[in-house]
C-alpha cells in the first residue's frame, strides 16, 4: 500500500515534544480524530488535539507535560484511562489504545489494552479514525485501515465496523453521524442510516447533556434543516423534541387545509440562520410554533385556528428546557418571551401601524425588539413572491417606526418619569393603592401618546389624575 506523509499537519512544536516523550517511554504515539480529519479537509484547525499511545496514555501525558515550559498540570481521568494537558490555548487529550466493548444497557465500557488498529476500529466514523504517526522514523505517516481518506473525498459518513456494532457501542453516535453530515455537508452511508432507524430507541440510554450538545452543533450549522430533517427522517427527533414532531402533518376539513407547521418551522430556522448565529434566537425560531399542536381547532366558520398558541408555546418552553438540561436562566426567559411575542409584529404589519401600537411593542419587548423583528421576518415562508414582498415591506416600515418612536419617546427600558416617592410627596400619601393607579395611568398616557415621555408633562398629568380620584396636592 502506498504510504503518505503529512508532516505539514504537524508543524506545531508540540508534536515533536510528544514524539520525543513517546520515544523516551518506548511507546508508539499517534494524533487521531478531529484534528487529522479537519487538517485533511482544509478546515480551520482545531484547538483540541487527541493523541493515542499504544501503552499508557496517562504516562505519555505526564512525560509530555514534564517537557513543556512551565510544566502544565495533567488532569487524569483514571476511570476512563485518559489525561488532559492545557498548553498554549490547546487542549491535549491522551488515551491509551484500547479494545472496547460495551454492555448492552450501559455506557460503561469493558476496556482492554489494544493495538492502534483496535483503537481505530472502535471509533465512530472512518473519517474520525484517521491517525498520523508521531514515530521518529515515520513522522507524519497516515494510518488509514478503514479507508477514511476515500470517505473524506467522497463526502461520506461511514462506520469502521458494522453500523449496528458501532452505534450500539455508543448510541450518541447516531446523532453524531447526523451532526457531522450537517456540519461537513456529507452524506450518511445507506447502511448507517438504516441502522440508525432500526436502533433509534437506544438513544434513551444516552445522557441528555450529550444529546443537547450535539443538537446545538446541528442548530449552529448554516442550514439547520438538513440535520433536523435527518433527525426526523430517522425517527430520532421523536425522542429529543416530540413537541416539534407533533407539528407535522396537514389536515383538511371542509376543503380547508392548514400548513404543515413542522416543515414551516424548519424553513424559519433556516431563514433566521442566514442572519444570526445567536443560538438562543435560533432556539426561539425552532420553538416559536410549538403551541400550535395543542391549540389546533377547526371552526366551521373561520377554518383552522390556533388561538393562544403563543402563550401555550411559551409555557411549554420551561418543561422542554428542563428535560433537555438547557439553562433555566435569562436565556430561557428570552426564548419564552420571543415565543410569546412571536405574532405581535405580524398583527401590527397587517394594519395601519399606529405610533401607540409601536410604543407598546417596544415597551413589552424592550431590548429584544430587534431580535423579535428578525424572528418575524424569518417567519415569512410564503411562496407567493408578491405576498412575500409585501410582508417584508410592512416589517421594514415597522422597523422604521420603531426607530422613530424610540428616538422621540425612549420607551425601551422604560423608567417612569414620575416616581412613586414623588407621587407620595405631592399628595402627602403613605404607601397605598392609589400610587400604583396613578403610575399606571401615566404609563398608559405615554404609551397612548396622550403625553410625551417627559417629567413636566407627566407631573401635570399626575395632578390631574390625582384630582380625578379625589386627591388634592399639598401646598408647599
Ligand atoms: N469518538 C468516538 N465516539 C464518540 C465520540 C468521539 O469514537 N461518541 C472519537 C472520534 O474518533 C472523534 C474523537 O473521539 O474524532 C474525538 O471526539 P470529539 O472531540 O467529540 O469530536 P471531534 O472528532 O474531535 O470533532 P468536533 O470537535 O467537531 O466534535
Amino acid at each position: 500500500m502506498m504510504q503518505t506523509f503529512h508532516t505539514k499537519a504537524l508543524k506545531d512544536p508540540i508534536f515533536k515534544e510528544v514524539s520525543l516523550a513517546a520515544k523516551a517511554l518506548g511507546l508508539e504515539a499517534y494524533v487521531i480524530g478531529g484534528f487529522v480529519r479537519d487538517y485533511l479537509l482544509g478546515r480551520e484547525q482545531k484547538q483540541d488535539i487527541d493523541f493515542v499511545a499504544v501503552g499508557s496514555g496517562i504516562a505519555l501525558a505526564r512525560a509530555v507535560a514534564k517537557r513543556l515550559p512551565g510544566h502544565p498540570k495533567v488532569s487524569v481521568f483514571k476511570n476512563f484511562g485518559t489525561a488532559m494537558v492545557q498548553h498554549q490555548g490547546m487542549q491535549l487529550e491522551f488515551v491509551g489504545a484500547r479494545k472496547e466493548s460495551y454492555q448492552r444497557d450501559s455506557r460503561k465500557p469493558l476496556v482492554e489494552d489494544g493495538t492502534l488498529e483496535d483503537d481505530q476500529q472502535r471509533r465512530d466514523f472512518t473519517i474520525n479514525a484517521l491517525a498520523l504517526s508521531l514515530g521518529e522514523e515515520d513522522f507524519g505517516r497516515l494510518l488509514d485501515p478503514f479507508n477514511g481518506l476515500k470517505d473524506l473525498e467522497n463526502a461520506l459518513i461511514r462506520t469502521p465496523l458494522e453500523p449496528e456494532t458501532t452505534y450500539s457501542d455508543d448510541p450518541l453516535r447516531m446523532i453524531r453521524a447526523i451532526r457531522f453530515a450537517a456540519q461537513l455537508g456529507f452524506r450518511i452511508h445507506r447502511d448507517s442510516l438504516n441502522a440508525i432507524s432500526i436502533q433509534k430507541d437506544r438513544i434513551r440510554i444516552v445522557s441528555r447533556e450529550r444529546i443537547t450538545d450535539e443538537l446545538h452543533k446541528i442548530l449552529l450549522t448554516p442550514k439547520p434543516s438538513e440535520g433536523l430533517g435527518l433527525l426526523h427522517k430517522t425517527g430520532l427527533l421523536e425522542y429529543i423534541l416530540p413537541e416539534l414532531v407533533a407539528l407535522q402533518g396537514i389536515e383538511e376539513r371542509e376543503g380547508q387545509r392548514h400548513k404543515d407547521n413542522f416543515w414551516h418551522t424548519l424553513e424559519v430556522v433556516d431563514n433566521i440562520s442566514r442572519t444570526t448565529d445567536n443560538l438562543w434566537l435560533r432556539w426561539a425560531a425552532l420553538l416559536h410554533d410549538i403551541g400550535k399542536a395543542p391549540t389546533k381547532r377547526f371552526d366551521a366558520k373561520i377554518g383552522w385556528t390556533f388561538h393562544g398558541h403563543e402563550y401555550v408555546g411559551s409555557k411549554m418552553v420551561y418543561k422542554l428546557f428542563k428535560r433537555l438540561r438547557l439553562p433555566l436562566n435569562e436565556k430561557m426567559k428570552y426564548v419564552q418571551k420571543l415565543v410569546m411575542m412571536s405574532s405581535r409584529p405580524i398583527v401590527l404589519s397587517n394594519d395601519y401601524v399606529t405610533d401607540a401600537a409601536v410604543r407598546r411593542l417596544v415597551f413589552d419587548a424592550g431590548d429584544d425588539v430587534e431580535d423579535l423583528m428578525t424572528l418575524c421576518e424569518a417567519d415569512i415562508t410564503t411562496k407567493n413572491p408578491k405576498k412575500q414582498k409585501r410582508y417584508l415591506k410592512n416589517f421594514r416600515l415597522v422597523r422604521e417606526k420603531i426607530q422613530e418612536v424610540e428616538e422621540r419617546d425612549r420607551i425601551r427600558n422604560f423608567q417612569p418619569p414620575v416616581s412613586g416617592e414623588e407621587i407620595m410627596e405631592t399628595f402627602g400619601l403613605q404607601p397605598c393603592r392609589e400610587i400604583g393607579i396613578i403610575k399606571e395611568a401615566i404609563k398608559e398616557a405615554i404609551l397612548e401618546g396622550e403625553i410625551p415621555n417627559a417629567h413636566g408633562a407627566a407631573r401635570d398629568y399626575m395632578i390631574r389624575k390625582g384630582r380625578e380620584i379625589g386627591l388634592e396636592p399639598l401646598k408647599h
Side-chain angles (χ1 to χ4, degrees), residues 52-64:
V52 51
V54 181
S56 165
I58 296 172
L60 180 60
R62 292 208 164 105
V64 170

Side-chain angles (χ1 to χ4, degrees), residues 245-253 256-264 296 304 306:
V245 180
L247 295 178
Q248 205 219 322
I250 299 175
E251 251 188 275
E252 179 166 338
R253 250 195 246 175
Q256 305 231 44
R257 290 153 65 95
H258 63 77
K259 66 175 174 243
D260 184 312
N261 284 302
F262 174 75
W263 294 106
H264 160 73
K296 185 167 106 171
W304 292 102
F306 304 91

Side-chain angles (χ1 to χ4, degrees), residues 32-35 37-38 43 46 48 50 102 107 122-125 127-129 170 172-173 176 179-180 183 210 214 217:
I32 196 161
F35 179 88
R37 176 196 71 223
D38 288 347
R43 284 179 100 215
K46 283 165 46 91
D48 281 15
D50 293 304
Y102 289 74
R107 278 218 68 250
R122 70 160 192 94
R123 288 184 180 259
D124 52 5
F125 307 111
I127 61 167
N128 287 345
D170 177 4
L172 181 72
R173 291 169 170 171
R176 282 173 64 89
R179 187 260 284 190
F180 282 116
Q183 267 183 337
R210 296 177 81 217
E214 292 297 330
K217 290 183 178 169

Side-chain angles (χ1 to χ4, degrees), residues 91-121:
Q91 280 214 22
L92 314 175
E93 303 260 2
F94 296 86
V95 60
R98 49 198 163 170
K99 274 191 193 153
E100 224 171 78
S101 60
Y102 289 74
Q103 290 152 313
R104 235 192 120 66
D105 290 309
S106 134
R107 278 218 68 250
K108 283 228 180 71
L110 298 165
V111 183
E112 276 175 67
D113 291 345
T115 63
L116 174 71
E117 194 163 327
D118 289 332
D119 192 274
Q120 284 171 303
Q121 73 168 5

Side-chain angles (χ1 to χ4, degrees), residues 172-396:
L172 181 72
R173 291 169 170 171
M174 300 189 284
I175 304 181
R176 282 173 64 89
I178 292 170
R179 187 260 284 190
F180 282 116
Q183 267 183 337
L184 304 174
F186 279 27
R187 251 173 339 105
I188 301 176
H189 193 281
R190 199 188 322 118
D191 296 347
S192 246
L193 265 183
N194 286 339
I196 295 174
S197 303
I198 292 166
Q199 295 188 32
K200 58 179 187 283
D201 74 274
R202 295 258 301 147
I203 200 66
R204 274 196 261 221
I205 67 161
V206 178
S207 80
R208 300 280 186 194
E209 287 84 352
R210 296 177 81 217
I211 293 176
T212 299
D213 212 36
E214 292 297 330
L215 184 61
H216 279 177
K217 290 183 178 169
I218 292 173
L219 255 185
L220 286 171
T221 57
K223 203 173 169 212
S225 67
E226 306 212 326
L228 293 166
L230 277 171
L231 285 177
H232 182 51
K233 183 175 157 188
T234 52
L236 283 166
L237 198 59
E238 185 68 48
Y239 295 87
I240 309 171
L241 287 170
E243 299 87 346
L244 211 59
V245 180
L247 295 178
Q248 205 219 322
I250 299 175
E251 251 188 275
E252 179 166 338
R253 250 195 246 175
E254 299 175 22
Q256 305 231 44
R257 290 153 65 95
H258 63 77
K259 66 175 174 243
D260 184 312
N261 284 302
F262 174 75
W263 294 106
H264 160 73
T265 294
L266 295 204
E267 253 187 278
V268 177
V269 177
D270 279 354
N271 285 345
I272 213 158
S273 301
R274 275 189 234 116
T275 48
T276 181
D277 288 333
N278 175 349
L279 175 66
W280 306 103
L281 185 47
R282 290 185 182 199
W283 262 111
L286 189 66
L287 303 184
H288 80 286
D289 269 350
I290 49 169
K292 281 194 172 170
T295 56
K296 185 167 106 171
R297 303 276 179 277
F298 184 77
D299 180 311
K301 283 200 203 94
I302 38 180
W304 292 102
T305 65
F306 304 91
H307 280 314
H309 78 85
E310 301 87 347
Y311 177 76
V312 171
S314 82
K315 290 275 165 240
M316 290 163 75
V317 170
Y318 172 77
K319 249 175 128 179
L320 189 151
F321 264 48
K322 192 156 186 234
R323 191 185 68 227
L324 294 179
R325 308 288 187 270
L326 286 161
L328 305 176
N329 57 13
E330 73 286 351
K331 304 274 192 285
M332 178 190 72
K333 291 207 184 107
Y334 166 87
V335 174
Q336 283 175 322
K337 180 170 160 189
L338 289 180
V339 172
M340 177 81 171
M341 294 190 71
S342 57
S343 308
R344 288 275 300 272
I346 301 174
V347 178
L348 262 188
S349 72
N350 282 340
D351 298 326
Y352 171 73
V353 195
T354 65
D355 283 10
V358 170
R359 269 192 296 269
R360 281 190 189 280
L361 180 72
V362 177
F363 180 80
D364 292 338
D367 277 338
D368 301 320
V369 70
E370 267 92 29
D371 289 355
L372 179 63
M373 292 307 297
T374 304
L375 174 58
C376 288
E377 282 156 356
D379 203 3
I380 304 172
T381 58
T382 170
K383 298 291 167 289
N384 176 337
K386 259 202 193 139
K387 276 193 185 169
Q388 192 191 39
K389 240 176 133 178
R390 193 174 75 232
Y391 296 154
L392 280 172
K393 190 174 141 238
N394 286 351
F395 281 136
R396 216 172 314 119

